[in-house]
């Protein structure tokens, strides 16, 4: 799971300008995206240092936050707060979600 952690950090870096654009229109949505995306990394890190059920719960939280991050991007795109989200960013976010989901099976 720690291998995907570096991808999460890349996603966070790539989100910076997107969050700035969103906050020009909807400050709360920008904050929500910032919290959700940061929570992916924090829960992965916490889970990797845990065992058993605690580890599983942290990874489930990370997956939920990764899904929420994607939803925030969808919500921002719908009213035009952002025109397009970089394909590479979306691919990396998909990779994060898939890796976490696979490890929960």
């Amino acid at each position: 799971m720690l291998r995907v952690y570096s991808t999460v950090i890349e996603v966070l870096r790539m989100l910076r300008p997107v969050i700035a654009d969103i906050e020009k229109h909807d400050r709360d949505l920008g904050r929500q995206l910032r919290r959700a995306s940061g929570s992916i990394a924090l829960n992965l890190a916490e889970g990797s240092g845990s065992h058993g059920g605690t580890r599983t719960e942290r990874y489930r939280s990370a997956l939920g936050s990764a899904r929420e991050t994607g939803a925030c991007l969808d919500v921002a795109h719908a009213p035009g707060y952002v025109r397009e989200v970089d394909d590479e960013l979306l691919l990396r976010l998909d990779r994060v979600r898939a890796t976490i989901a696979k490890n929960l099976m």
Side-chain angles (χ1 to χ4, degrees):
M1 191 64 73
L2 286 178
R3 289 184 198 168
V4 78
Y5 182 83
S6 62
T7 304
V8 172
I9 299 303
E10 290 172 20
V11 166
L12 294 175
R13 285 188 189 114
M14 295 173 84
L15 280 171
R16 283 186 358 215
V18 176
I19 291 170
D21 286 344
I22 292 169
E23 286 183 330
K24 291 175 188 173
H25 304 279
D26 187 334
R27 192 173 186 95
D28 290 334
L29 182 58
R31 286 184 198 152
Q32 186 69 22
L33 177 53
R34 186 179 290 109
R35 284 191 307 273
S37 59
S39 183
I40 304 167
L42 298 174
N43 278 294
L44 281 177
E46 188 174 352
S48 68
S50 302
H51 301 288
T54 302
R55 173 179 280 190
T56 300
E57 287 308 309
R58 291 306 151 268
Y59 288 166
R60 281 191 181 132
S61 292
L63 180 57
S65 293
R67 289 176 174 157
E68 182 179 1
T69 296
C72 285
L73 294 172
D74 292 341
V75 169
H77 186 263
Y81 298 162
V82 291
R83 289 186 183 202
E84 284 188 26
V85 178
D86 184 86
D87 286 338
E88 187 60 32
L89 167 58
L90 296 175
L91 282 172
R92 289 176 192 206
L93 183 57
D94 282 343
R95 187 177 313 136
V96 168
R97 290 185 290 219
T99 300
I100 298 169
K102 181 180 176 185
N103 280 279
L104 286 171
M105 295 181 153

